[in-house]
Amino acid sequence: MDTIKKYLAEIVANENQIIDFLEKNEKEIKSFFFELWKKQSPTAVVEQLEEPKIEKTVTSEQNPIESQQKEVKIAGPENITAEQQESEITTDKQQTQTDMQRFDTGVQPDREKAKNDALALEIKNLQIAFQNGKVNQEYCVDFDIEAYKFRNTFVAEVAFIGLDAIGLQYFPEEKKIKGIPTAAGDHKITMKFKIKGYEDRTPLEHTVIFIVNPDPKVLWSKNIPSEQDATKIEYPKPDSDKDFVKVESKKTKGILGLGKKETARKDMVAASQRGRSHAIEGKPRDDDFKLSFDKKTEWYVMVVADGAGSAPFSRKGSQIACQTAVEVCNAQITEIGNLLEDQIKLYWDRKTGERKDAYEFLHQIVGKAAFEAYRKVCEEAASKGRKPKDYATTILLSICKKFDFGWFVGAFWVGDGGIGIYRKEPQELKVLGEADGGEFAGQTRFLTMPEIFSDRVRTRFEIVEDFTAVILMSDGVTDPKFETDANLNRIEKWHALWDDLNGNNEDRTKVDFSDDNEQTAEQLLKWLDFWSKGNHDDRTIAILF
């Protein structure tokens, strides 16, 4: 009985398992209990287990007792004889001894199978989930099998089959899964468990789904060139553009006319890159820019324009706006530039000049340039039988000149994006206008709206001692780098932008703003390819530095 108790104590306490065990071992169990019962009362065993019935046939010539001895017949299910019954009892004894040996030695194939099946079921039903990974991004999660509660299982070792195929590894000493996922998708990973005490057996398995999200950069990496054949598309435009305007150092005579002195002068650079939203569809770039430096007057002119994505021919509108604005600015500077300069000097001296006088002459230059750009766009639309809004574009225009007392920077601003005068040391920031925000996100105003010339003051100017850079940007740059229009007035955002341009970014893409460095344009164009989730518009930036 102690042996039976010991054996039953090892059985998993599960009703279904016990029932399954009893059904599979019914014969052995019956035989075992039959023998125990027989040892106590053999007659009772025969009578109660088989319930035999004795039929006696007595003739007149035979003694009843003798007849009973000669013709004893046991009535039962099989009508066995006494000799057969004795033989069966002997066989049952042998089977009972074998069964007892199994109990005593613990060798019971069915019992071991039941336990193994229970362990396998418990492993299979584990609830294991891992944090999603992302292609090409470092991945590291903790995994400690001891954190999972098992009822009857003690895990000696866990192995992952298939992790290495997706760029990951399990480090049991660190209890971590680490690596850089290389393949996106839902990956079936097999976990193999070795159980304590059964390390030599085939490991039990559990399957988990390991999810690796695709790299959004890959999804947006498709770059279909836009059509450049003018016979197949109206107004073809290069998918990217760049320019560098090198301004030679200024040479002046030394003291008493002896020797010569060279003073470095600021250069200009600009770049424009088609946005990923256009590149994946093979659409043209809508942005544009134009740079100019007049050696005679020494005035710098910069223009950036962002064609409206909703306007089918905005790419031409932005191009016309930039070209016209620079031409008109240069013509107006030649005509009245000296008058503007006089008013700037008077205003700076604060003797007889006033700010409004300098403003009036500035507006005659930049305001007229913007208006003429608007008129030219309307003319192009009319020539094609279209509406001006089909050529809608923003415009950011700036003219700058160096004086003995500092720099004059004037601007005209329509639409979103930004114009700023930034100085890193000592810290100084002047934003030359306000972004045109609409009722809803992404809305703005365009040069092709005639009311923009009367709804507010768009001409601005500042006089500063010096600056690190004057920067004009389309919203393809300001949206990811400044996030909101209000942030254009936070100097820390301009610090971050300048550091970013100088290589403090994820891609370590640096623009070298050394004097006369003609590689700056190519570097700036490469920088414009930075990644920013959700920001895939055309990007254009112009810098005087």
Side-chain angles (χ1 to χ4, degrees):
M1 186 58 67
D2 289 340
T3 302
I4 296 174
K5 289 180 179 180
K6 178 181 177 182
Y7 174 73
L8 292 177
E10 295 178 2
I11 297 178
V12 178
N14 182 295
E15 183 178 351
N16 291 332
Q17 294 175 356
I18 294 174
I19 292 172
D20 184 63
F21 169 77
L22 293 175
E23 289 178 350
K24 291 180 178 180
N25 299 279
E26 180 179 1
K27 183 177 180 180
E28 289 87 349
I29 293 171
K30 283 184 177 180
S31 176
F32 171 71
F33 284 102
F34 181 91
E35 183 63 18
L36 288 179
W37 198 350
K38 181 176 178 299
K39 288 180 179 179
Q40 293 181 1
S41 178
T43 304
V45 170
V46 173
E47 292 177 352
Q48 296 184 31
L49 191 59
E50 301 290 348
E51 296 183 1
K53 294 182 181 180
I54 309 299
E55 296 181 2
K56 300 178 181 179
T57 303
V58 182
T59 63
S60 57
E61 292 90 11
Q62 294 174 327
N63 183 287
I65 295 177
E66 291 177 353
S67 298
Q68 183 180 7
Q69 291 173 345
K70 291 180 180 179
E71 299 184 25
V72 172
K73 187 176 183 181
I74 299 177
E78 299 178 5
N79 294 322
I80 60 174
T81 64
E83 291 80 2
Q84 291 173 326
Q85 181 182 9
E86 182 64 30
S87 174
E88 185 173 324
I89 291 174
T90 301
T91 301
D92 286 342
K93 276 186 179 182
Q94 294 172 348
Q95 181 64 47
T96 300
Q97 291 174 354
T98 301
D99 290 338
M100 288 302 295
Q101 289 175 356
R102 288 178 179 175
F103 279 118
D104 292 338
T105 60
V107 179
Q108 169 61 327
D110 289 335
R111 175 172 65 86
E112 292 302 322
K113 182 178 183 303
K115 185 174 182 179
N116 194 71
D117 290 345
L119 295 179
L121 182 63
E122 191 168 3
I123 293 294
K124 181 179 180 180
N125 291 335
L126 283 176
Q127 299 297 318
I128 299 178
F130 293 101
Q131 175 184 330
N132 292 358
K134 185 179 289 186
V135 171
N136 296 330
Q137 291 193 14
E138 188 171 346
Y139 183 84
C140 181
V141 296
D142 295 327
F143 179 74
D144 184 1
I145 192 60
E146 294 181 5
Y148 294 85
K149 304 299 181 183
F150 297 94
R151 186 171 55 221
N152 297 291
T153 306
F154 298 93
V155 177
E157 183 182 336
V158 180
F160 289 82
I161 308 302
L163 274 184
D164 55 342
I166 59 174
L168 298 175
Q169 264 187 291
Y170 173 53
F171 296 87
E173 303 82 7
E174 302 178 47
K175 297 180 179 179
K176 292 181 183 295
I177 296 175
K178 298 190 296 184
I180 299 179
T182 57
D186 296 356
H187 304 280
K188 288 186 177 181
I189 304 298
T190 301
M191 300 176 65
K192 290 185 176 288
F193 295 82
K194 287 189 176 181
I195 308 305
K196 290 181 180 179
Y198 300 91
E199 287 86 351
D200 57 336
R201 294 190 179 181
T202 302
L204 300 176
E205 295 185 356
H206 176 76
T207 300
V208 294
I209 302 298
F210 199 94
I211 301 174
V212 178
N213 296 322
D215 184 350
K217 294 182 181 180
V218 174
L219 297 177
W220 287 94
S221 64
K222 193 174 182 180
N223 191 359
I224 303 174
S226 65
E227 182 59 65
Q228 297 298 305
D229 188 344
T231 64
K232 296 181 179 179
I233 184 176
E234 197 170 4
Y235 309 128
K237 177 182 278 190
D239 295 335
S240 64
D241 195 9
K242 65 183 185 298
D243 191 19
F244 179 80
V245 176
K246 178 181 176 180
V247 180
E248 301 287 351
S249 299
K250 191 171 184 179
K251 298 178 181 180
T252 57
K253 293 182 179 180
I255 299 174
L256 300 176
L258 300 175
K260 290 185 178 181
K261 180 181 178 182
E262 287 194 7
T263 303
R265 293 192 291 184
K266 295 185 185 295
D267 300 321
M268 286 187 294
V269 65
S272 182
Q273 177 64 56
R274 182 177 61 158
R276 292 183 175 89
S277 58
H278 286 168
I280 63 174
E281 298 181 11
K283 293 182 177 180
R285 173 173 55 96
D286 291 330
D287 281 12
D288 219 305
F289 70 85
K290 192 71 175 177
L291 304 178
S292 173
F293 176 75
D294 190 321
K295 293 181 180 180
K296 184 177 179 180
T297 64
E298 297 185 350
W299 278 92
Y300 296 83
V301 181
M302 297 188 294
V303 189
V304 165
D306 179 1
S310 59
F313 305 107
S314 65
R315 60 185 178 277
K316 186 62 176 179
S318 63
Q319 184 184 55
I320 292 172
C322 290
Q323 184 67 37
T324 304
V326 167
E327 291 174 355
V328 173
C329 279
N330 286 332
Q332 287 294 97
I333 288 172
T334 298
E335 183 177 341
I336 63 171
N338 59 328
L339 298 176
L340 171 61
E341 292 178 24
D342 289 342
Q343 292 301 321
I344 292 171
K345 292 173 184 177
L346 288 173
Y347 169 69
W348 182 255
D349 291 339
R350 302 291 179 133
K351 294 177 181 178
T352 58
E354 295 183 12
R355 185 178 181 90
K356 67 181 183 65
D357 295 326
Y359 173 84
E360 290 297 333
F361 282 102
L362 172 64
H363 189 67
Q364 287 184 46
I365 297 173
V366 296
K368 182 177 177 62
F371 182 79
E372 285 300 312
Y374 158 71
R375 195 173 63 81
K376 286 288 187 180
V377 169
C378 291
E379 286 180 1
E380 178 66 22
S383 71
K384 300 291 185 179
R386 298 172 180 140
K387 296 179 180 179
K389 68 178 183 179
D390 291 336
Y391 294 77
T393 181
T394 68
I395 188 169
L396 302 174
L397 168 62
S398 179
I399 64 172
C400 314
K401 184 170 181 176
K402 174 74 166 61
F403 293 87
D404 293 339
F405 50 81
W407 281 85
F408 174 88
V409 183
F412 191 93
W413 180 341
V414 177
D416 45 22
I419 307 175
I421 310 170
Y422 167 70
R423 192 174 188 182
K424 186 173 184 178
E425 293 294 343
Q427 296 185 28
E428 187 176 14
L429 172 65
K430 302 288 184 180
V431 178
L432 296 178
E434 300 173 13
D436 284 293
E439 182 180 354
F440 302 101
Q443 286 188 331
T444 191
R445 311 197 76 178
F446 299 104
L447 181 65
T448 48
M449 298 175 176
E451 66 271 18
I452 62 98
F453 293 98
S454 60
D455 64 349
R456 77 177 197 206
V457 176
R458 296 183 178 277
T459 300
R460 305 281 181 94
F461 77 84
E462 292 289 346
I463 298 176
V464 295
E465 179 185 12
D466 199 2
F467 55 79
T468 301
V470 174
I471 305 177
L472 284 65
M473 302 166 280
S474 69
D475 68 333
V477 177
T478 58
D479 282 355
K481 298 303 181 182
F482 290 85
E483 299 167 345
T484 66
D485 293 340
N487 282 342
L488 286 170
N489 295 294
R490 295 176 55 194
I491 194 169
E492 57 267 32
K493 286 291 186 178
W494 290 82
H495 287 326
L497 173 64
W498 193 248
D499 288 344
D500 194 322
L501 284 162
N502 280 274
N504 186 18
N505 53 63
E506 182 179 326
D507 300 323
R508 294 292 181 256
T509 302
K510 180 179 180 179
V511 182
D512 182 2
F513 291 102
S514 300
D515 186 43
D516 297 342
N517 177 24
E518 296 187 11
Q519 296 301 313
T520 305
E522 184 62 40
Q523 294 166 356
L524 186 60
L525 182 60
K526 183 179 180 182
W527 178 85
L528 283 176
D529 197 38
F530 62 81
W531 171 258
S532 177
K533 183 179 179 181
N535 294 297
H536 308 300
D537 197 6
D538 293 352
R539 295 169 180 169
T540 303
I541 186 169
I543 305 173
L544 170 61
F545 64 97

